[in-house]
Amino acid sequence: MIKTLDIKSALITGGGGGIGFSIAQYFSSLNKKVIICGRTESKLQEAQKQLKGSSYYVLDTGDIKAIPDFIKKITTEHPDLDCLVNNAGVQRPLSVNDMEPRDFLEKADNEININVHGPMHLAVGLLPHFKTKPGAVIMNVSSVLGFIPTSILNPVYNGTKSFVHFWSMNLRTQLEQGGHNIRVIEIAPPSVSTDLHRERADPNDNKKDKNASALTVEEFMDEIIEQWKADVDVMGAGPSKQVVDKWYESFGEKYDQAAGKK
């Protein structure tokens, strides 16, 4: 099976900032080709200036109809592409008590498109290309909230990240059963000091000075890099690592039995 860091060329969604940009920086430091995409061209342009030899594409991963043409374009222009990092995501405070149904559902549907449909369509759409490679890697960024939905004000986000967790497990198993040399990696962050909370009343409540358990992006990346080097399939950092480990201690054996591994 391909080792995680043996990839040559990575497409990183949401690569203009936060965790996505930090992943792009690390891959670039290893002389991997880096391709970033996102919704805001100005952020992508600024990120590209800091990433040697990188390319960028404007893509809203929630625009499902645009994904097939995007995949055709990127695999044509970057035939060496062998890694997808599904990092783009949004987190919206939504309340059935305080919002009109139409407003709630409009925002919820968009969140589901970005967090669920986009990553799934990109991964499945790229599989024919990845199957032509000696090996490939799909990295899906979920969340500790996909394991324990403790952020009550984010009912849709929690569910979307639970989908990413279980989808990653089943996708990994199906590809293994099919004999394909395609790794599926799940990264489950805890609260990390990015702009993910930008739609909250206090967009900085995931910063260190307001949440002692939050990790800086640098702290998060230090732990993730060590797990990449160790070829870990499912990884957390800080508080989320404990949750991930406990989940697999409780249910991993039962899943392995269902997958025919035991």
Side-chain angles (χ1 to χ4, degrees), residues 39 89-94 99 103-104 106-108 110-111 114-115 153-154 157 194-207:
R39 290 180 292 175
V90 295
Q91 184 188 92
R92 297 207 164 104
L94 301 172
M99 300 172 67
D103 186 33
F104 182 102
E106 181 180 344
K107 291 181 177 178
N110 179 252
E111 188 168 5
I114 293 170
N115 294 359
L153 79 165
N154 299 122
Y157 181 85
T194 67
D195 68 347
L196 183 64
H197 290 187
R198 57 189 174 273
E199 295 189 28
R200 291 193 184 191
D202 181 358
N204 294 311
D205 63 3
N206 61 344
K207 305 301 189 292

Side-chain angles (χ1 to χ4, degrees), residues 6-7 29 36 57 86 90 156 186 204 221:
D6 281 350
I7 55 118
S29 76
I36 56 174
Y57 293 81
N86 271 319
V90 295
V156 174
E186 179 186 355
N204 294 311
M221 286 300 299

Side-chain angles (χ1 to χ4, degrees), residues 35-200:
I35 308 153
I36 56 174
C37 68
R39 290 180 292 175
T40 308
E41 187 166 18
S42 59
K43 289 181 66 176
L44 294 169
Q45 289 173 335
E46 188 59 36
Q48 185 191 34
K49 292 176 184 176
Q50 302 176 60
L51 299 167
K52 58 181 181 181
S54 66
S55 305
Y56 79 82
Y57 293 81
V58 177
L59 175 71
D60 177 356
T61 56
D63 184 2
I64 309 305
K65 293 181 180 178
I67 289 179
D69 285 343
F70 171 75
I71 289 174
K72 184 176 180 180
K73 180 179 179 65
I74 200 164
T75 52
T76 299
E77 297 181 0
H78 302 276
D80 55 347
L81 180 70
D82 60 357
C83 176
L84 166 67
V85 181
N86 271 319
N87 165 74
V90 295
Q91 184 188 92
R92 297 207 164 104
L94 301 172
S95 171
V96 295
N97 297 318
D98 302 325
M99 300 172 67
E100 292 294 327
R102 177 178 294 181
D103 186 33
F104 182 102
L105 292 173
E106 181 180 344
K107 291 181 177 178
D109 284 344
N110 179 252
E111 188 168 5
I112 291 167
N113 280 340
I114 293 170
N115 294 359
V116 171
H117 293 144
M120 181 175 64
H121 280 248
L122 281 168
V124 174
L126 280 167
L127 282 179
H129 173 77
F130 284 163
K131 288 176 182 178
T132 68
K133 301 298 173 187
V137 176
I138 296 170
M139 296 189 189
N140 293 326
V141 178
S142 61
S143 169
V144 67
L145 297 173
F147 291 74
I148 308 177
T150 53
S151 186
I152 310 302
L153 79 165
N154 299 122
V156 174
Y157 181 85
N158 298 338
T160 64
K161 291 305 182 176
S162 181
F163 173 89
V164 173
H165 167 52
F166 292 120
W167 155 251
S168 298
M169 291 180 71
N170 290 165
L171 177 62
R172 181 186 304 115
T173 299
Q174 287 195 1
L175 290 171
E176 288 172 353
Q177 291 174 342
H180 302 293
N181 188 17
I182 301 174
R183 292 283 299 278
V184 178
I185 308 298
E186 179 186 355
I187 303 170
S191 186
V192 180
S193 300
T194 67
D195 68 347
L196 183 64
H197 290 187
R198 57 189 174 273
E199 295 189 28
R200 291 193 184 191

